[in-house]
Amino acid sequence: MRIGCAGWVMRISKYFILVLSAALLVSCEKNSEIKVYRVSKAPLEQSAPQQQDAMPTNTSAPRMPAGLPPAAETAVTTPANWEAQPLSQMRQASFLVKGDNGAVADVSFVSLGSAAGNVLENVNRWLGQLGQPPITEQKLGEMAQRLQTSLGEVTIVDLAGLPDNADPARDGRIIAAMMTTSNATLFFKMRGNADLAETQKGDFIRWVAAVCDAQTQAGPAQIAEAPPQTASAPTIKWTAPEGWTEVPPSSMRYASFSAPAQDGGKIDISIVTFPGDGGSDADNINRWRGQMGLAPVDANAVTSQVAPLKTGDTMFSTTDIAGNKTRTIAAWTRRDGRVWFFKATGPNAAIEKEKSNFVKFIESVRF
Amino acid sequence: MLHKFVDIITSLKLTIVCLAAGMALIFAGTLAQVHLGIHEAQQRYFQSMFVWWPPEGRGFRIPIFPGGHLIGAVLLINLIAAHLKRFRWSWRKLGIHLTHAGLIIMLAGGLFTDLFAVESHMQLANGDAKNYSEDMRQTELAVIDTSGDDLDQVTAIPDTVLRPNRVIDHWSLPFRIAVRNFYQNSRLRMLSQAGEGARPIANQGSGAMIAVEPVTRATASDERDVPSAAIEILPKDGGSLGTWLVSDSLGAPQTFACGGRTWMIALRPARYYKPYSVTLQKFTHEKYAGTEIPKDFSSKVTLIDPERSVNRDVLIYMNHPLRYRGETFYQAGFQKDDSATILQVVHNPSFIAPYVACVIVAAGLLVQFGFHLVGFSRQRRRAIA
Amino acid sequence: MKRLLPWIILGVAAACIATSWLPSKVAKEDFDFSKVGEIPVLVGGRMKPLDTVARNSLLIIHGKQELRLEDSRRLSAMQWLADALFNASVADQYPVFVVQNADVLGLFGWQQSDRKYFSFAEFTPFLKQIDEQAAQSDKLEAVQRSAYQSAILNLRNGLSLYQRLKNSIQPEGAENFTAELQGFASSVPGAAKAARQRAMGENFDKVKLDDIAQMIKRYERLSDMAYVLAVPPIEPNGEWHSVGNSLLRSVAIGEIDPAVIEYAIVGDAYRANDRPLFNQNVEVMTDWFSKEQPNTMKRASFEFLFNRVQPFSQSMALYVLAFLLACASWLGSSSILRRSAFYVLLLALAIHTFGLVSRMYLQERPPVTNLYSSAIFIGWGAVIVALILERIFRDGIGAACAGAIGFVTLIIAHHLAGSGDTLEMLQAVLDTNIWLATHVVAITTGYSAMFLAGMLAIIYIVRGVFTTSLKKQTADSLARMTYGVVCFATLFSFVGTVLGGIWADQSWGRFWGWDPKENGAVLIVLWCAIILHARWGGFIRQRGLMVMALFGNIVTSFSWFGVNMLGVGLHSYGFMQKAFPWLVGFMLSQLALMCVAAMPLERWRSFRTVNAPARGQTPQVSPAPSPG
């Protein structure tokens, strides 16, 4: 009996010592083995998920993704009161705007790999940084603005909020723009004192447009100046029909009008202009269809939707899109390296009434 | 003979001897930390089988005292064996059994941690993003094939392999690496500023203009060794690409071409790459008003993991680490001017063992001493009555 | 009569204590130093009354909380501080700075003599030199400095602290600060306007700005040097500012903070010896605090009371008394003296507890946060356990232990208080109440128990070897007490050590780092384990238990103090060089006693006369409980 017990103990101790020594040996080995692995060259994304399948890397000299020449940024004029800041690893442009009483706003442009997260995720992240609750896709659709550039459509959001313990001189508002191209996602962000951001909003949006436009030009600056829209866009004249009140234009619009509709509704008329060709007709028509909640149409079908309109000055293309409740009529023309969009949106019946006025308005435009 | 061995291995005397030896070892190791530094003393006294004399160097060494691992192992065996031999279930012994079971778990857990835990640091300046952490103690010679379009291939050679007159021949490299010189701790100076007679140990790259001076190992807890080595690159199809200096303090990697590919070499802290990245948004260092006494440090980081679609902000601060995918990130320190935060990254699969063990042993002690107390008070009452 | 004696002794002791609790009478014609001592300020990140600042500063500089002048006048700390704050020219003459090192004296060309206190005025020509020498010493680690270097560094720190105090409330040497402030106040609006105009690029009045510039420079210096932040925040959770900083801010705000003006009036009144005006305005200030920040004022008043009462000194005296009574009870009239000792101990414990709880209230932390508070807690814990033993066994042993340990730990604490504010704010990593309350308290309780076991062993050995009073019953009781206390110590030391490991794991991911303090704690646990295993295995009996418990004293004192002196590791706080000889002396004394106890049992006086055991036979003791 005793022998059996002791033998059992012996065996266990033996195995135990074996296991122990093996473990110790293994641990010694682990320190001296040579490892081989692969590491991706692309710089780490700072604020969005990555798509590489190999392990990401952080090379010591950050390299910008191909396709966006660095020259682009030097070709863009920036507002005078934006102080250039040293670039951090991720930023391709960085500015600091100073206002009264120590108010500051930080402006940055970051370019990342494509598929860098969708707009809603990033907007909710920015909202989180402002201490605000996240929003839904629908709310996003309502609050986001869209800006057409030669690179594509840019989504602009204006977020406000002050998280706890934040300094109101430096925080309280994020105005951000985001767009995705085939090989890159561009983020433009202005974050700072709420009032200061408000005053800079116009400049910011113009700058965003300028940078995007500049991106389409490869190589040294052919776009020496990407002029802010309103500042050096040529002035055009028109005669506004009766009943149309001119409304102060937003920073994206060249001009803006409002006309009353019955039942207290409103017709919104806008004039917008960009350098370049502003996208194809199909793009624009589908964009407007999207704004009205309609499904896009085939590019071929689009041609049937466009009707020409000749005025004394120039030739316009027009379209008439009727949705369930709202209707959009638009006219556009391209001249002198710019595109001009004239658009009226409102309730179906109201647009019907104003259509003739709209046509007269278009005919009155002189470049 | 067998009986004798079994008797010894299960005896209480052995337990006491081991405990006493442990005390002596811990006392000696603690005093040794004053001039060796915590890490070195730990290696020599507690994480070894024996304490050797003389401690360093090749040649004849004799063990003069059992080391921490040996004492721990013998205690563990003694504990398990004694229990197996004399195991007799009784409620009165419940406390003892619990206590010893908990101790076994703790010792085993400690052993596992010693073997398998990995500690490293991640230093981030504001806005930095990193997906690797660095070992504070080990360096590696990184040989990187940069000819790929989108992927670099890294061959990481730990510094324990770099010993003078060693030749490293690895399948991933079209050349052999011959180690001509290796200094565990060194100081680098430009030749023009070094004294008379200083010679470089390399003849290629930036090392050709640098003099290397070996210095004694660092012992203070906030100092690190700066290892340097001179390596000669010998392409497998003949010739030599010269001797290059690699050092932790060189900063930038050096480049050469071999076999139609471009290679970079650098001696850097050993890196542990992770499939996710950590970006520092902001580091805050609060002090008590009107003083320099630190009140709190915190790092706001963004954790981005594409594999698991994680993209969130986390606040890491004292006593509140970030636990993610088996690794834990602690707020460990910061650069002097608050420009960068230092996170300690720990991978310790057996971290739960001490918690479990503590509860079990505490319960066992309470039960055991509770029995004694009850017995004692009953005795007193009988005595008084 | 005899039965009442314990109560009488208690009553006398209580009466002696009570006098210090009553507020001292302030003569109408005198400066009301107690009122001004209650004014709250912020120093070192903690809100405290000026009285605390005074006591701590004087303690750091002078080594005492009271100043004795050559004409045998005695100044309280608050009186000295008032002179330093408001009347620098007078304070400069007070001999407060301690210099004893001959090399330091030689630096100034002075010879060593009986004098060890010097005034600031005497050092004025040498300030730059002292600064340079101290900068050299600063570069070295504390353990590497020579005696001269430590001394010059201490002197520099003391001088620096003094200068900062002088420039905390008013610029040193300001004559009529109220008038100066009024001038400043009238120029501020004009200057602010000019500054705004300049910022906007408009024409501005340069003269106005220049006037202010001079004063601003002066107040910038005031702001840089301030040690005391005296200007309270307007909002409840706002920030305290120094007077200088507040004046600089008032340029932007447009008006001077009323607290600054009050301090100016008080200072001017003090200098002019205008006692009624001084007292009046001090009262205005305390009233403002009571109204606007009642919590702050309450705490400051309480701390003032705490300072005055000095509970730990009082309980120290009571512990000595109790110890003597308990020892006397072994010689004769045992029951009466024993009960007296017990009652006196209860009073001492009550005051000790009051002190401990007050500290917790003032610091808003669990009881043990630094070395000083650990000493207080060790004494408190040991006294409680010893009193329980006394209640059970009723033989004066518990009482003697309580008295001895209480006294020794409070003396140690007293000497640990010399580095400044014992209620200091905690470093970031310690800023967690849970672990402070569990790990630190458990470990400290373990220390208490170990020291108590050691004390019991001392009593056993001393009484056994040198007297005949160690009867069998007493010896048995002692053995049982010691064994029980060792078990208690094992439990708390083990749990405390592991909790410390868990805290480390939560804080920096490493459960065990072989830090010296951690090693010290595990040494205690191991030693307790050895004692218990040896007893269960029958390897030791009564005497062996006592000898091992004595060694436990050595292990515990190494763990508590010794590891801090190594200068290594995370727990290396507290400048401990002065204590080193005492620690070594204590350890040697325990070793000596262990050797004495190792004498053959027949030679022990108690065992020689009572039993006459044959060789090799140990006196019979109660059978040990079954091993395990």
Side-chain angles (χ1 to χ4, degrees), chain C residues 535-547:
Chain C
R535 197 152 186 293
W536 290 330
F539 301 118
I540 55 165
R541 297 187 210 288
Q542 265 190 12
R543 190 234 327 233
L545 176 64
M546 296 305 162
V547 168

Side-chain angles (χ1 to χ4, degrees), chain C residues 31 268-276:
Chain C
F31 287 112
D268 288 342
Y270 186 76
R271 263 194 305 279
N273 239 332
D274 187 346
R275 291 174 167 84

Side-chain angles (χ1 to χ4, degrees), chain A residues 70-85 87 90-97 105-111 147-152 154-156 174-179 186-191 197 199-216 223-232 251-252 273-275:
Chain A
E73 68 173 11
T74 57
V76 171
T77 45
T78 50
N81 59 338
W82 288 17
E83 298 170 14
Q85 300 295 303
L87 303 182
M90 292 314 299
R91 293 188 173 194
Q92 294 182 5
S94 187
F95 301 95
L96 194 65
V97 192
D106 172 62
V107 183
S108 65
F109 164 45
V110 178
S111 167
L147 173 68
Q148 278 300 338
T149 68
S150 44
L151 201 56
V154 180
T155 309
I156 302 182
I174 291 182
I175 302 181
M178 181 179 158
M179 81 156 293
L186 312 182
F187 289 89
F188 305 82
K189 187 164 149 201
M190 173 163 65
R191 178 174 179 179
T199 61
Q200 297 299 307
K201 185 168 174 177
D203 281 353
F204 177 76
I205 295 184
R206 279 188 275 276
W207 171 69
V208 168
V211 173
C212 286
D213 291 335
Q215 298 291 331
T216 55
I223 303 226
E225 301 245 311
Q229 286 175 303
T230 47
S232 48
S251 31
M252 294 202 352
T273 178
F274 314 92

Side-chain angles (χ1 to χ4, degrees), chain B residues 243-262:
Chain B
T243 309
W244 299 72
L245 171 69
V246 288
S247 171
D248 197 12
S249 79
L250 265 187
Q254 299 165 80
T255 319
F256 60 88
C258 175
R261 296 189 265 172
T262 29

Side-chain angles (χ1 to χ4, degrees), chain A residues 20 30 35 37 39 41 50 56, chain B residues 115 131 146 148 150 152 154 156:
Chain A
L20 196 65
K30 130 182 130 162
K35 295 182 286 204
Y37 49 85
V39 135
K41 287 187 203 259
Q50 295 149 27
Chain B
L115 295 178
N131 62 337
T146 56
D150 54 348
D152 286 339
V154 179

